Amino acid sequence: MRRRAILGYGAAGVGAVALMLFVGWWQVDGPGGAEPVGQRPVALTEMDFRLTDHEGNAVGPETLIGRPTMAFFGFTYCPDVCPTTLSDISGWLDDLGDEADEMNVVFITVDPERDTVETVAEYVGYFHPGIRGWTGPEEQIARVADGFRATYERVPTESGDYTMNHTASVFLFAASGRFVTMIDYHEPREFAVPKIRRALAEEMEGAT
């Protein structure tokens, strides 16, 4: 009887520790966590850049104001992270159903040398139709990445070619342009979709 009680207390203790660890993860690294201020993207209203979408239209931060935005940096020659994330985004948009029509969803290249308008257009065509592809001059890509606090770098390969290292998280902004949160690479769908709905629920600043 005493042994059974001890085992019961032990199990309860393990459960309590597990719960504490989960709560800590949720508040620090999980969906409830806040990004460090120094790394937090600025509001879209404070950004200034000029790019071109995959249909040849001029776009900038003002293009995104008025609807919630989901943005991801990558490149079309990316072997795994980019197609995986864009496939995840496509699945999230399917889960949202009609709500997905209320969002801007953009894929921004970090490899403008190879990612022309035509190349990006073909690439995004393999994923959800709601995803837009953006490209432009290197200096403009640098400006948008700086505003998003995204990083990228060109890395030579043994074959004499190159690949790109880049931020793999997905950025979420409210319709007002205010940064809401990020979705980490490979974050489970049950956490990612509620984050997107959180951005959708944000009212525009100053709205009545």
Side-chain angles (χ1 to χ4, degrees):
M1 205 49 196
R2 184 178 178 185
R3 181 181 179 187
R4 185 176 302 172
I6 291 173
L7 290 174
Y9 290 137
V14 170
V17 170
L19 178 61
M20 290 172 61
L21 290 173
F22 175 78
V23 170
W25 169 82
W26 180 278
Q27 294 177 337
V28 177
D29 295 317
E35 291 75 19
V37 174
Q39 300 175 18
R40 188 174 300 157
V42 302
L44 292 170
T45 52
E46 298 176 24
M47 296 188 197
D48 181 20
F49 59 85
R50 288 291 171 265
L51 298 176
T52 304
D53 73 10
H54 70 272
E55 294 181 337
N57 303 305
V59 292
E62 70 282 354
T63 308
L64 305 176
I65 305 297
R67 298 202 302 172
T69 293
M70 177 161 38
F72 172 69
F73 289 83
F75 62 113
T76 65
Y77 284 73
C78 182
D80 44 34
V81 173
C82 302
T84 297
T85 300
L86 289 171
S87 293
D88 287 343
I89 290 173
S90 296
W92 302 337
L93 293 175
D94 286 339
D95 284 353
L96 290 171
D98 291 341
E99 290 181 280
D101 297 334
E102 301 172 21
M103 296 197 75
N104 300 306
V105 186
V106 294
F107 165 75
I108 306 171
T109 184
V110 295
D111 184 17
E113 180 178 322
R114 294 183 294 195
D115 288 346
T116 63
V117 169
E118 294 76 17
T119 301
V120 172
E122 180 181 1
Y123 189 69
V124 297
Y126 293 113
F127 304 99
H128 192 282
I131 299 173
R132 313 289 296 175
W134 288 11
T135 187
E138 173 59 41
E139 66 272 14
Q140 294 298 316
I141 297 294
R143 293 184 74 165
V144 64
D146 182 62
F148 276 75
R149 301 297 188 258
T151 61
Y152 64 95
E153 64 175 338
R154 182 167 168 161
V155 180
T157 61
E158 293 181 357
S159 65
D161 204 348
Y162 70 92
T163 187
M164 302 293 296
N165 286 343
H166 60 90
T167 297
S169 297
V170 175
F171 297 82
L172 291 171
F173 291 81
S176 63
R178 186 184 71 81
F179 172 66
V180 176
T181 190
M182 295 195 318
I183 300 173
D184 293 331
Y185 179 56
H186 269 333
E187 187 161 329
R189 182 175 299 198
E190 57 267 30
F191 294 144
V193 174
K195 283 185 175 182
I196 299 170
R197 288 205 163 101
R198 187 170 124 207
L200 283 164
E202 291 271 349
E203 295 184 356
M204 291 191 66
E205 294 176 4
T208 57

